[in-house]
Amino acid sequence: MLKKLLEIKEKDIITVVGAGGKTSLITYLTKEFSSDYKVLLTTTTKIYLPKKSDYNNIILIDESNTLIINKGITLCGKYINKEKKVVGLNFNELDNILNKFDISFIEGDGSKRKKLKGWREDEPLVHPMTTKNIGIVDISSFNMDINNENIHRLDKFLSICGNYTDKVNLENLKNIILNKDGLFKNSVGEKILFINKVDDRFKEVLAKDLIKLIRKEDDSIKIIYGSLIKNYYTKG
């Protein structure tokens, strides 16, 4: 079970960054803990308003200061904008509510629903009290065309990944993970890499090869790979 592999415990503050499954991962995990804990679902950027079935309560701090928190998932933000996005909280606002929840999940950057991304200078926004920083990489991005259609902030991606070809390769993915301006830039707490969409034998081989490249340079990152769709997970 993924929550056991992640070793999430009460009072953990988990910030999720990257592309290729952030929202799906957070949705899965919040539901796993919702029957026993007061679970916070929020963002430091913007997220599309989740389906009503994906949360139990909503608090918009620009509209109400009432914090009535019960077991289950509480979605929290400033307000909902015209794009139907929940506008996230700054660190000071988060400071005022984090201690009211048993477990908190924070989406720390945006990717415009693309498989890969580069990061601006001010991204990702990882709260200083974060205990686990989960970075997501989509293995199905391997051999994908490198262009604006597929990659959010392409110019930043290219400066990070050191690519000189027109297709995404494993070296690019390794660089995105390990580069000082990449996935774990601004990381706080335990660093956990989740390689998502490993849903067949070929992608499992790719994931294992990627892990070998990472381990040659850094053995401090906890690695898990699997598929949120197939509900399959294993240690890397």
Side-chain angles (χ1 to χ4, degrees), residues 7 11 15 43 46 69-70 81 113 125 142 169 176 178-179 183-184 189 206 220 227-228 231 236:
E7 298 180 292
K11 292 306 175 184
T15 298
T43 180
K46 297 175 185 176
I69 301 166
N70 299 309
N81 68 14
R113 295 179 170 172
L125 291 166
F142 175 79
N169 58 41
I176 280 294
L178 297 183
N179 189 287
L183 187 64
F184 290 107
L206 285 176
S220 67
S227 169
L228 287 164
N231 199 25

Side-chain angles (χ1 to χ4, degrees), residues 191-205:
K191 290 192 287 188
I192 303 171
L193 172 65
F194 176 55
I195 304 173
N196 191 25
K197 301 187 184 176
V198 181
D199 50 22
D200 59 36
R201 182 70 62 86
F202 175 67
K203 290 173 186 171
E204 184 162 12
V205 170

Side-chain angles (χ1 to χ4, degrees), residues 2-3 6 8 14 16 22-42 50 53-56 71-75 103-107:
L2 183 56
K3 70 178 184 179
L6 292 170
I8 294 171
I14 299 128
V16 183
K22 281 196 308 290
T23 301
S24 297
L25 176 64
I26 290 173
T27 299
Y28 172 86
L29 290 173
T30 53
K31 288 183 175 181
E32 284 287 293
F33 289 97
S34 62
S35 60
D36 297 316
Y37 295 98
K38 298 174 183 177
V39 179
L40 173 65
L41 167 58
T42 190
S53 59
D54 290 340
Y55 61 91
N56 305 107
K71 284 184 181 178
I73 302 164
T74 298
L75 172 64
I103 300 174
S104 299
F105 292 90
I106 305 168
E107 190 163 322

Side-chain angles (χ1 to χ4, degrees), residues 60-230:
L60 301 173
I61 64 171
D62 280 7
E63 298 179 13
S64 171
N65 291 318
T66 303
L67 293 175
I68 301 174
I69 301 166
N70 299 309
K71 284 184 181 178
I73 302 164
T74 298
L75 172 64
C76 191
K78 290 180 187 289
Y79 59 91
I80 299 170
N81 68 14
K82 293 179 180 179
E83 299 175 279
K84 295 295 182 184
K85 287 185 176 181
V86 179
V87 176
L89 306 178
N90 61 40
F91 290 169
N92 288 334
E93 290 162 338
L94 276 169
D95 288 341
N96 292 327
I97 64 170
L98 283 170
N99 64 356
K100 302 180 187 299
F101 293 89
D102 300 320
I103 300 174
S104 299
F105 292 90
I106 305 168
E107 190 163 322
D109 62 357
S111 58
K112 298 289 185 182
R113 295 179 170 172
K114 297 182 181 181
K115 290 188 175 185
L116 289 173
K117 70 167 293 183
W119 288 265
R120 288 187 321 233
E121 288 70 17
D122 62 340
E123 291 182 306
L125 291 166
V126 181
H127 190 277
M129 290 174 62
T130 296
T131 58
K132 296 182 187 293
N133 191 179
I134 302 176
I136 295 187
V137 167
D138 181 346
I139 199 65
S140 72
S141 65
F142 175 79
N143 211 35
M144 181 177 72
D145 289 336
I146 295 175
N147 55 37
N148 280 303
E149 183 178 346
N150 292 327
I151 299 172
H152 184 42
R153 299 203 177 93
L154 178 61
D155 58 332
K156 300 295 184 183
F157 173 87
L158 291 171
S159 69
I160 293 167
C161 77
N163 188 78
Y164 300 101
T165 67
D166 59 354
K167 301 280 189 180
V168 175
N169 58 41
L170 291 181
E171 188 73 16
N172 301 150
L173 295 180
K174 183 263 292 182
N175 289 342
I176 280 294
I177 295 160
L178 297 183
N179 189 287
K180 65 180 178 61
D181 295 318
L183 187 64
F184 290 107
K185 185 178 74 161
N186 304 330
S187 180
V188 178
E190 181 185 15
K191 290 192 287 188
I192 303 171
L193 172 65
F194 176 55
I195 304 173
N196 191 25
K197 301 187 184 176
V198 181
D199 50 22
D200 59 36
R201 182 70 62 86
F202 175 67
K203 290 173 186 171
E204 184 162 12
V205 170
L206 285 176
K208 289 179 177 179
D209 287 345
L210 176 58
I211 291 167
K212 288 178 184 177
L213 289 176
I214 294 166
R215 292 299 188 213
K216 286 180 181 179
E217 298 182 28
D218 190 327
D219 62 1
S220 67
I221 301 172
K222 181 174 184 175
I223 302 176
I224 296 166
Y225 68 85
S227 169
L228 287 164
I229 292 175
K230 291 198 170 184

